[in-house]
Amino acid sequence: MIKVEDLRNFTFLSNPQTNPSRTLAAFVVSNSDYEQNKYINKIYTFDGQALKPLTEAGNETDFLFEDEKNILFKTPEKNRYTAQTEAESKRPLTHYYRINVDGGEAAYAFSIPLDVEKLWPLNNNGKFLVLASYDLNYPDLWQKTPAEQEEICRHNEETAFCRQIHEIPFQANGTGYLYNRRSALFFFDAVSEELELIGEDYPNYVIKWVSLNNAKTKALFAATCYEGNNEYRYCDFAKLYEVDLENCIITPLYEQLNQQLGDGFYVETVNQQHQASGHEIAVLISSDTSGYGLNENNYFYVYDRASSQLQKISDYEIIYGNSVGSDVAYGCCQEKYVSLNYLDLIETVDCRSTLQRFFFVEDEVAHKITLKRKMLVDREGAVNAAFSLNIAPTVIAEEFASDCKCNSDCKCGCQSGEPCSCECECDDCECECENECKCVSDCNCANDCDCNGECDCDDCDCNDCKCENNCKCNNANECNCDSECKCGCQSGEPCSCECNCENECKCESDCNCANDCNCNGECDCDDCDCNDCKCENDCKCGCKSGDTCTCECKCDSECKCGCQSGEPCSCECDCGNECKCVSDCNCANDCDCNGECDCDDCDCNDCKCENDCKCGCKSGDTCTCECECECDCDDCECDDCDCECECGDCDCGNECKCESDCNCANDCDCNSDNECNCGSDCKCGCQSGEPCSCRQNHSSLCIIGFYQQNRSEIYLVHNPEKLQRLTYFNSQNLSTVKPLPLTITSRFDREAVNGYVLLPPDFRQEARASYPLILDIHGGPKTVYGSTYYHEMQVWANLGFVVCCTNPHGSDGRGNKFADIRGTYGQQDYDDLMDFLDAVLKTYPQIDSKRLGVTGGSYGGFMTNWIITHTKRFQAACTQRSISNWLSFYGTSDIGYLFATDQNKVKDFSLEDQKTLWEHSPLHYINNAVTPTLIIHSDADYRCPYEQGMQLHTALTALGVPNKLCVFHEENHELSRSGRIKAREQRLNLITHWFLQYLQADNKELIQKFAEKCHI
């Protein structure tokens, strides 16, 4: 049984990085220390064959590769083993330690007299590019003597009891007061310990991101400014700058404040033959917000140096990053990885996050940039970060092969009784490497089997199983179904179906009609090869009603079989004979045999097509499959492919003619002379113009992800849908409940709205109105629920609650139009939530509709507040870090003056706009509330400030509605995800106790148990 306290045992992986040659990766491994109420963070290394802990102190979260063999990491103290002096601890100092990747003890490296945000090594010469923040009142503090610095810092501390503020924002969630904080770039020489400001003066801006080119000669960065008419107001739009790292010069590139400039990078284009062009461009991931506001999805732009303008490359919407929610993802998340001439990018699609590779193709004549993309990872779950190693995937795969043995053949690819090399990592089989596949018998149920004995007999031909759904029965004619089945027999009665004259159901064994046959005489002979069934109607076999079907098939007209009207059919379509097509091809299934060949399914070498086809041949030509076109090599077996295909899809066995810097070695054997014809150095291992000696792929793509109810682990990517789990940091054998998908159609625009239902482990189908339910609403609103592990939901399901969640309008992963609910909060999203709940209640009548609970955080907290003020159908609610009043949120949140106006579609704070903000506030409707409500907030939450909960608590109390306000001291908006471990547990205990109290009132023992945990 999953418990709240299991959270203490989870391990979190984050922040993967590689050394310059990509032969070694390092990442952070975090565990909670409950007694000390903190997280222990250590750096691990991974070379494709072994995982090794590198550090031991437990506070190493921020690190970088200094070179091939050394890692630098931040520490809070200069001497990690003795305390700093009090005076030194007040000065802005950032200390770095150095450790060799081969082991040994970490040693002090250097200190930088700044609050360093990020550090980049510059060409292994002991020099670094530094991004640091500074106080606008003391920009040159770092240039003063230590004594002068101490005096200034002491003075600031003594006067900190009164802060004088004249700009917004003046605080930020997770940071605290940021009044007068700005950022700048510096050079730092670790050998001489010299520090140099880049640029002529201290800038009045905050730098959002910095990106270096491959040669480390220049850097691109975006900054939001406090200047001009917005001198004291932070603007969401940014300006673009470039740094000449060789001459220490900053040049403004784009100063029009009309783009968010969310991210950017340098990348080399490839030509139309997908060879490296040597042309480096600056690419921006940005939105102008003109169509869908602050949450608008991004697009790719290229900076045009001739016009000093941003040019949109494509209309492709970038749904940037992983927004699949989880309460067990701790640590920083990586959203992109830039190589020499491609970009790997994490995107959210529907209920999952994917990893795609983007190439920027340049037309050498028109000088136009277009996109080419390739899916790298696409399966249910979430990608949190990615990295590549120059190590053959076969080496990694063999080193980390598992020992899982299944009792029967399964979709994993392993055979019954043999070791499973993929840990049963298919979507339908959940057994871990240390367990066994517990199917009832050797059956064909892999598609719908949870490997815990629960077979879905729609796909199972096992005997004597008792199904609640339609089944195909067995040869003994004894149907043990709880309800009517496709055979025509009634529940509990012998099977007397009339599939053939002997009244025995032999659908599975004797014919192929099981899927489309009701076994009562109505046979769809498209799927049937039986020779003795008597059809009630004329069928496609050629027999008439009442005739015996001999499949001689004398057709009334020409048919796809290839036979002519009135002639015997000797086709190979289904009968196993000879295909009399125009030419000798394997196109029978999708070929009209009149010369119109669908070459997607054809590997013919000499078919004459009437229409142009993907083989490359033209109408009337002989098809030689030489494939001189843009074909998808998945469908083409050409031996000399010059097409624009990804070499992961191409089986060409001759010369390597793929784009440069690609993973072609895995699928391309080059030629017999080992001559690589790539235009530049590529991942095959060969250098440009040198013989190709590779015989296997020397580059492996790995990800940190969440799949099949596992917490974060490292996976090796074999193809977009096949991942091999490499690590078992979270090997606890938890009794997880599998989220069951459920989809409804939105009444708003007829779009599909998807979600999940988690049933208690002891869920009884025969029970009626027996189970309480909790509706969980995600934050954002531009995030999404997926099939990943969610601790709070698993806890509640294991305590006997049905838990459901959905992705209403406003959620991520579906494009701008679906995500845009500006000005309509509480309308179509509310309808989606209520309609989804209705569908859950209809699908599972075992749920007691009189015992419903609702909860959510941030936007989910807003919707919880909206729900309790607009319906009385819930018996308990818990609103977390919520918005109750848009008016006060506008002035107190760190993003309020931007977000409140944007999301409510108002322009400013005029009287009319104030009226709109109030009408859109749940507090405006508080007199309708009757639902007992638990209110959870944190006093350091500057995103949805504590005052939002105070207002709600005061109003509910005045109205006599049962409620309780719980405030977590020194926690912020991230309480449920990265708060201190004791606070995270207590939060979940409080919510669970509240729902037990109101939804499982008879469970006195369990209520008392959680009351004691909550110190009630």
Side-chain angles (χ1 to χ4, degrees), residues 11-13 328 704-706 710-714 727 729-730:
T11 298
F12 313 97
L13 311 183
V328 291
I704 293 177
F706 296 79
N710 293 314
R711 277 66 66 205
S712 58
E713 302 289 355
I714 296 179
T727 62
F729 287 101
N730 292 287

Side-chain angles (χ1 to χ4, degrees), residues 205-236:
Y205 52 55
V206 174
I207 295 176
K208 298 177 64 172
W209 51 263
V210 180
S211 181
L212 278 65
N213 67 345
N214 189 63
K216 297 183 180 180
T217 58
K218 55 187 176 182
L220 199 67
F221 72 91
T224 52
C225 304
Y226 294 79
E227 60 183 20
N229 294 331
N230 289 318
E231 182 175 358
Y232 302 119
R233 178 180 172 125
Y234 175 94
C235 179
D236 189 59

